[in-house]
Amino acid sequence: MWEQTTIELRARDRGFHLITDEVLRQVPDLSGCQVGLLHLFIQHTSASLAINENADPDVRGDLERHFNVMVPENEPHYEHTTEGPDDMPAHIKSVLVGSSLTIPVSGGRLALGTWQGLYLCEHRDQAGRRRLVATLQGR
C-alpha cells in the first residue's frame, strides 16, 4: 500500500502547536494499515515538524521561549532581512528542528508513545496556512 495526500493546516500564531488530531483527520486509509510508516513533510522553510509532549502545554511555551533565546531576532550578522525581523530566525529554527517526520503505524494507528504528539513549530509571527505532504506506506 502506498497512499499520498496533501494536508492543509490552518494558520496559527508563532509557537509550538499540537496538530496530531488535525493530521489524523486528513490522512486517508490509516485505519487500513496494520504495519507501516507515515512520512510527513512540510512544504515551507519557516516552519518545522516535531514529536514531543502532548499533555502539558507548559512544554510548548518553554520550547518557544528557549528557541527565541537560542535564535534571537535582529542580529547584526543577518543579511536576509527584507521579509521582517522574524524571517531569518524562522529559517534557522526550521533547520534546527527539521522539515519531516517518519512515524510507525501499527494496527491502523500511529505508534506514538503515551505522551507524544505531532507538533507544528510555527516560527513566523504572521504565518498563513501550512501544507504537509503525507505519504503512507505499509500493508
Side-chain angles (χ1 to χ4, degrees), residues 28-50:
D29 300 327
L30 185 64
S31 63
C33 183
Q34 294 306 299
V35 177
L37 296 170
L38 175 63
H39 185 264
L40 299 172
F41 173 77
I42 191 164
Q43 295 181 304
H44 303 276
T45 61
S46 56
S48 52
L49 298 172

Side-chain angles (χ1 to χ4, degrees), residues 25-101:
R25 282 192 298 275
Q26 297 184 61
V27 174
D29 300 327
L30 185 64
S31 63
C33 183
Q34 294 306 299
V35 177
L37 296 170
L38 175 63
H39 185 264
L40 299 172
F41 173 77
I42 191 164
Q43 295 181 304
H44 303 276
T45 61
S46 56
S48 52
L49 298 172
I51 295 175
N52 215 302
E53 166 81 48
N54 69 358
D56 186 348
D58 290 346
V59 172
R60 296 189 301 274
D62 287 345
L63 285 167
E64 176 64 18
R65 286 184 292 277
H66 185 80
F67 268 72
N68 290 335
V69 169
M70 267 184 17
V71 187
E73 295 182 3
N74 299 309
E75 287 296 299
H77 55 271
Y78 294 159
E79 292 183 16
H80 177 74
T81 58
T82 57
E83 295 178 56
D86 65 326
D87 189 52
M88 191 60 226
H91 293 306
I92 295 169
K93 293 171 186 177
S94 177
V95 167
L96 291 173
V97 178
S99 59
S100 66
L101 299 171

